[in-house]
Amino acid sequence: MIKRVLQVNGVSRQVVCEPDESLANVLRQNLGLTSVKIGCGTGLCGSCTIVKDGKLSRCCRTKMKTVDDYTAITTLEGIGFPGKLHPVQLAWIAYGGAQCGFCSPGFIVSAYALLLEKQSPTRQEIRDWFEKNRNVCRCTGYKPLVDAVMAAAEVLRGEKTEDDLLFKIPEDGRIWGTKYPRPTAVAKVTGTWDFGADLALRLPAGSLHCELVQAKVSHANILSIDTSEAEAVPGVFKVVTHKDIKGKNRITGLITFPTNKGDGWDRPILCDEKVFQFGDAIAIVCAENPKAAKEGAAKVKVELEQLPEYMNAHAAMADDAIEIHPGTPNVYYIQKIAKGPDTRPIFDGADVVVEGDYYTQRQPHMPIEPDVGFAYQNEDGKLVIHSKSIGLHLHMYMIAPGLGIEPENMIMVQNPTGGTFGYKFSPTMEALVGAATLATGRPTYLNYTWYQQQTYTGKRSPQFTSVRMAATKDGKLLGMETDWTVDHGPYSEFGDLLTLRGAQFIGSGYNIPAIRGEGRTVCTNHCWGAAFRGYGGPEAEFPSEVLMDELAEKLGMDPLELRYRNVYRKGSTTPTGQDPEVYSLPEMIDKLRPKYEAARKKAAEASTDAIKRGVGVAVAVYGSGLDGPDTAEVDAALNADGTVTIFSTWGDHGQGADMGTLGTAHEALRPMKLTPDQIKLVIGDTSNAPVAGPAGGSRSQVMVGQATKNACDQLVAAMRKPDGSFRTYAEMVEEKLDLLYRGKFTAPANDCDENGQGNPFCCYMYGVFMAEVAVEVATGKATVEKMTMVADIGVVNNFLVTDGQIYGGIAQGIGLALTEDYEDIKKHSNMAGAGIPTIKDIPDDIEIIYVETPRPDGPFGASGVGEIPLCGPHPAIINAIYNACGVRIKELPAYPAKVLAGLKG
Ligand code: MCN
Ligand code: FES
Ligand code: FES
């Protein structure tokens, strides 16, 4: 142990710690300064940024033995706090800089240091600073952060006042359709929004630290597991294996369709007979401290018989491949599409036919906050599990039989969450901490390292897609044939539903009268397929949107014009045969056209021999909802002081369930003339709120929004007196009127049939994307210089949120196009290796044009937004690369080496 005296935020603080402990952990654990967040833990993300002796430092990498006595340290707590915010914090709120908020403390400290050094930085200097100091954000697309620093600098220079940064409620009192800041913003910009690892520091004494014993191979039989040496390590309380699990020891994958050849019970909580993928959990070492847990985990002996590893769909489909789950074929689900007449005669008679093969990769979600959770038994003996779950009730039903506990004896709570982008549509560690607590009788806590986050949570499923299109010579689409193969990894979880997305969204946006095709879900030994923002949309729309450009070229037609001729108009139907709910695509393309012409002219003028520039477009459509009659419930209660509380399980990835709920409830409660702070939010606890459904499929604003509105409408109706005035709380009690109302909504939609035909969604989101790209001829490196999105997401609840959703989604689309992958388990296991976009990868110039077409089935006309911005950037970028330099990339990501090979070849 060593002792140090540190000058922290202007005061002397003494600490005693291990010499090898990190400064980040000491600030967090010994001094309670939890604004210092630990994301990557390896110096790559900047979430632990502090000022140390006048310089920025990523203190997760700093060992205490290298820190001198009296080192001066400034953390976010020393810069501003609730009630006295620094201008940078105020600006972060005003510009929507904190979505999930996990990166915010590190960024704000970094921006604070920049503004001490430079009073009037340019936008480029701010970008260079964040790049140099490795501040990485996965939510915001960076532009709002640069906006915030510029505004804070103006305040610090006296050109603007702090008051200028505060949101002013309009005179009519309405916050719907404004930039009202999200209610969690102050906590997020002050580092007081407690994420799972922060909450875990305050678990009671006696809580156990968990460390996983994980597979280091991708496919094997387990011959034996020996825990004896591990259990002898001082401090180890128990090593939990499959033998300790009282239930089925399986997480159900909730098979959606009867034609699925699996039964869904394929994912072990703790491996018993087999290892199915790298990182699979085999045992949990529960110990009094993290060190003992780690030491114990290293001593668990697992004897394995290695089996052939099928690391992609083609390998698993080979004739000699063994069944990964014995008894279930590796190709376990087939989805057909058959719309309109037979396509064969159409293709035979068409003026033009084009076809191509495409691949979208295993995109990693890369939240900055690694997975974290804890469990305990409450005073009623119920098992309470806290995690990053964005589908609390769903996860409860998926893990309860495996744990051997009735759902009514469980409570699920969502901790403040540092981004998920869909990976938390899957249970990850919920069943692990649940099993550990049931086996030990103690509270248990598990915090993945970022390496574990990357190697042992689900990813976007890679997809191989072939598409053929037939058209007349004037560009009218006549028919389409498709074939797609989804590599879903070893676990079936929602794999059939994902494969259905190929039927629903390949070629979506266009009226294609005849479609035939088949998709299949394949079990492999690479990382399991989880939902990822867009869930099948980016995979489906990449092939058809690149092929549309190939068709345009063959026809000698402008690609935007080809799209314009074919997009949905009255009388058109979607690939599933549904009438679109609105027909805004022609108007959206009209809005883009002048910008497109200007961009093409600019690109032509700015191209040189060394740097080629090009412009690419893409259309994208995605549904808001789970398929069919999607349902949500929300409660609204009148409080004694006249305020209203909303009880909801709208899951919050960081997108803004808080603002979504507040904006919708405030609008619905407007007759009562409540101010926003008179609406209290209780979100994310199954013990006090009904089933809102998971926050996936960009469904929440529509489904949960409608249920919220319905609950509020009922309350308002109950409070309204015959003369139009409203009952007080006392009058409601006196008249024995209910004080709590349960709002419900069921989408007017139906499931697709075996041919992929039906009306699966009541609301869709539409996007038209334009990418302006520069390609460096010497290296093949493509840089996106500007992105434009025309978005129809219905009527907007909150523009600060939807702008942020669009910037952030576009940034992930750029990553999908150019840099991101999780193929090589070694190389892609850290943020940099896996290609997370840093600020230099994302243009500062991102333009959003809204076309707000009210949706008949959305609350106050709203549709969803979350996923659409990630459904179109990648084909637009790939089309732009082709238009710049003539290289058509059909397998993502478009690494420089691939483009260079194309340039040379
Ligand atoms: N919204 C709005 N007006 C509209 C539509 C939506 O103001 N017309 C707001 C909503 O109030 C909500 C947000 O936009 O705050 C997203 O709403 P919606 O599209 O309904 O999506 P969900 O709330 O169901 O969120 C899920 C969606 C998905 S599926 C993924 S994945 C995702 C995403 O949103 N992951 C995210 N956005 C993310 N953003 C962040 N920062 N982090 C993630 O992990
Ligand atoms: Fe320290 Fe990522 S840089 S946690
Ligand atoms: Fe930056 Fe979520 S707000 S990572």
Side-chain angles (χ1 to χ4, degrees), residues 143-200:
K143 179 179 159 8
L145 310 184
V146 181
D147 292 341
V149 181
M150 291 297 283
E154 284 182 88
V155 173
L156 290 168
R157 293 195 302 267
E159 295 160 12
K160 250 190 189 161
T161 66
E162 291 190 358
D163 189 59
D164 292 334
L165 295 178
L166 301 180
F167 181 84
K168 314 281 182 316
I169 295 182
E171 268 180 19
D172 64 0
R174 199 169 195 190
I175 61 165
W176 177 269
T178 67
K179 292 196 169 185
Y180 187 85
R182 63 179 74 203
T184 51
V186 172
K188 285 171 179 168
V189 303
T190 53
T192 52
W193 184 241
D194 287 328
F195 295 92
D198 307 328
L199 294 168

Side-chain angles (χ1 to χ4, degrees), residues 710-882:
N710 181 252
C712 295
D713 287 348
Q714 290 182 54
L715 177 62
V716 169
M719 292 177 72
R720 201 188 294 272
K721 292 182 189 172
D723 67 0
S725 66
F726 288 91
R727 292 179 177 84
T728 61
Y729 176 85
E731 287 167 336
M732 293 282 285
V733 172
E734 203 178 290
E735 294 179 44
K736 295 197 169 45
L737 290 168
D738 285 340
L739 298 169
L740 184 141
Y741 293 85
R742 176 152 300 176
K744 290 187 189 171
F745 180 71
T746 300
N750 58 50
D751 286 307
C752 288
D753 63 16
E754 67 282 6
N755 285 322
Q757 298 301 286
N759 299 336
F761 307 106
C762 66
C763 291
Y764 286 84
M765 306 167 278
Y766 300 88
V768 181
F769 294 82
M770 178 169 78
E772 294 170 59
V773 170
V775 180
E776 193 179 45
V777 176
T779 61
K781 185 172 165 37
T783 304
V784 179
E785 296 188 321
K786 178 171 181 181
M787 285 295 306
T788 305
M789 178 183 179
V790 188
D792 184 356
I793 55 167
V795 179
V796 170
N797 173 351
N798 185 284
F799 281 102
L800 211 47
V801 171
T802 58
D803 285 359
Q805 286 295 292
I806 292 174
Y807 294 137
I810 284 177
Q812 291 183 325
I814 293 172
L816 179 61
L818 299 179
T819 56
E820 297 178 17
D821 203 357
Y822 177 66
E823 180 62 30
D824 181 331
I825 291 174
K826 240 189 189 156
K827 191 169 144 200
H828 296 154
S829 62
N830 67 67
M831 283 185 206
I836 198 168
T838 59
I839 198 165
K840 72 167 186 333
D841 298 311
I842 307 302
D844 195 29
D845 198 353
I846 305 179
E847 187 178 350
I848 305 170
I849 301 158
Y850 289 100
V851 171
E852 287 185 86
T853 317
R855 299 300 196 274
D857 296 316
F860 309 110
S863 187
V865 64
E867 291 163 292
I868 192 66
L870 178 44
C871 290
H874 54 310
I877 292 165
I878 293 306
N879 291 336
I881 291 176
Y882 180 80

